[in-house]
């Protein structure tokens, strides 16, 4: 990230700071936001911090391995795949059907993580119920068959 400051010739406009830990980075960002101070940071997603605060995503050049180590592009993204063994897939076709339909976004995940952060006393189950009942009930119909969807909605 230090090379990115140099690549874009921003040395005279920004102080490059390495907070030292995830908690220190969060505290630095939250403190600046609470004081309404300008701050630029390189962060990952999904995370509760991006779900709780209104950050602006700055665009960079798409990942290019030829200039990445010079700081001239965004970091490579990591694609997440859902996989099972052949044996599991054959013995659990309904579950595999769900996994094929399952789709979410970093923003939705960050939103759920922020809800959990704000409501620390809640369990993961409580957070999942909130997510499906209040935040994104439309996902039920996207992820499940009509019969499964109706059954879940009645249970919720």
């Amino acid at each position: 990230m230090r090379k990115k400051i140099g690549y874009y010739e921003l040395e005279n406009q920004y102080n490059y700071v390495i907070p030292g830990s995830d908690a220190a980075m969060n505290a630095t960002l939250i403190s600046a936001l609470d004081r309404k101070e300008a701050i630029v940071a390189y962060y990952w997603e999904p995370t509760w911090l991006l779900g709780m605060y209104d950050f602006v995503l700055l665009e960079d050049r798409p990942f290019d391995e030829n200039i990445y180590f010079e700081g001239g592009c965004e970091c490579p993204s990591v694609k997440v795949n859902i996989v099972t063994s052949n044996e599991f897939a054959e013995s659990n076709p309904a579950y595999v059907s769900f996994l094929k339909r399952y789709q979410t976004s970093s923003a939705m995940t960050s939103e759920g993580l922020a809800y959990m952060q704000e409501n620390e006393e809640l369990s993961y189950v409580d957070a999942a119920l909130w997510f499906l009942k209040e935040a994104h009930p439309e996902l039920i119909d996207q992820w499940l068959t009509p019969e499964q969807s109706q059954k879940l909605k009645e249970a919720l």
Side-chain angles (χ1 to χ4, degrees):
M1 293 305 115
R2 182 180 301 276
K3 288 187 176 187
K4 186 171 285 300
I5 298 291
Y7 188 90
Y8 290 107
E9 299 176 356
L10 300 171
E11 302 92 335
N12 295 326
Q13 297 171 323
Y14 296 95
N15 295 322
Y16 182 79
V17 177
I18 301 173
S21 70
D22 183 43
M25 171 71 103
N26 292 345
T28 300
L29 291 168
I30 292 167
S31 176
L33 290 168
D34 287 346
R35 292 189 315 246
K36 299 189 183 337
E37 295 177 350
I39 189 165
V40 176
Y42 213 88
Y43 212 73
W44 58 91
E45 63 178 341
T47 176
W48 67 267
L49 193 66
L50 295 181
M52 194 176 292
Y53 292 90
D54 189 23
F55 285 94
V56 174
L57 177 63
L58 301 177
E59 293 186 24
D60 203 349
R61 290 184 183 113
F63 174 74
D64 179 341
E65 64 184 46
N66 297 314
I67 58 172
Y68 171 67
F69 289 105
E70 298 170 27
C73 64
E74 60 188 28
C75 290
S77 62
V78 177
K79 184 175 181 181
V80 177
N81 294 302
I82 299 172
V83 298
T84 72
S85 67
N86 289 335
E87 181 180 329
F88 181 90
E90 291 167 6
S91 60
N92 296 280
Y95 193 64
V96 171
S97 175
F98 162 76
L99 291 175
K100 287 179 180 180
R101 291 178 169 172
Y102 176 81
Q103 186 172 294
T104 189
S105 67
S106 288
M108 280 191 233
T109 303
S110 290
E111 178 185 6
L113 294 170
Y115 182 79
M116 291 176 66
Q117 182 74 19
E118 291 174 318
N119 301 280
E120 293 177 353
E121 73 284 356
L122 295 180
S123 70
Y124 288 104
V125 172
D126 292 330
L129 289 171
W130 166 83
F131 189 80
L132 290 174
K133 284 170 63 173
E134 297 178 39
H136 295 284
E138 75 280 1
L139 295 176
I140 295 171
D141 291 329
Q142 293 173 23
W143 292 347
L144 302 174
T145 65
E147 298 80 26
Q148 293 168 332
S149 176
Q150 184 62 35
K151 204 174 191 180
L152 179 58
K153 287 176 184 176
E154 290 170 3
L156 291 175

